[in-house]
Amino acid sequence: MADGDDATDVDVDESSFLTGVTSIEGVSWSGASGVDVGRLARAIVGTAVFTVAAGVNTVVSGLTAAVTGLIDGVSEFLAGATEWFRIPGVGWRPTREAGLIEVIFGTGIAAIRGAWSFNVDTFGPLSLPVGLAVVLGTFLVVARGIEQIQEVI
């Protein structure tokens, strides 16, 4: 490298690690007469501590991102999520994906609504007892299912 071409812009005064400089016969430069071991050791330990701190920071950042991603994933699985997609020439549009809770309760509610509307059209004045029987039967099935799940867990 030519003079002034330094790979880094950091100026390091190497003489700060030396205890003294003596002239050497027959050469045009001076030589070190000793090394300040304490100052050199502090530089090495400081570099090692910085490296360990940077590693710990990276690990903590990675763990935080992993836990946050896990919580977001569970939340989206249970409650659903809205994703945005781009339609060329139109722009960004949302699409809603149902979560587990919405699918379970949505299906149950749709079944009960369907049973009530079917009963009113089919059974006339007897639709109330038939509808109540359907709703109570649905709750019985759900209760048995919850009991089975609790036994497994």
Side-chain angles (χ1 to χ4, degrees), residues 44-126:
I44 292 171
V45 169
T47 303
V49 167
F50 175 77
T51 303
V52 169
V56 168
N57 186 25
T58 303
V59 169
V60 168
S61 175
L63 287 174
T64 303
V67 170
T68 303
L70 182 64
I71 291 170
D72 286 345
V74 170
S75 169
E76 289 177 3
F77 173 73
L78 292 176
T82 301
E83 292 188 21
W84 291 85
F85 62 96
R86 187 171 187 273
I87 301 175
V90 176
W92 291 92
R93 298 286 184 243
T95 180
R96 175 83 176 121
E97 293 183 11
L100 181 65
I101 294 171
E102 189 175 340
V103 168
I104 290 172
F105 289 119
T107 305
I109 290 170
I112 291 171
R113 280 186 185 154
W116 277 101
S117 65
F118 171 76
N119 289 335
V120 170
D121 293 339
T122 305
F123 296 110
L126 295 176

Side-chain angles (χ1 to χ4, degrees), residues 16-19 34-45:
S16 66
F17 296 113
L18 304 176
T19 57
V35 175
D36 186 357
V37 178
R39 188 174 278 230
L40 183 61
R42 283 191 298 272
I44 292 171
V45 169

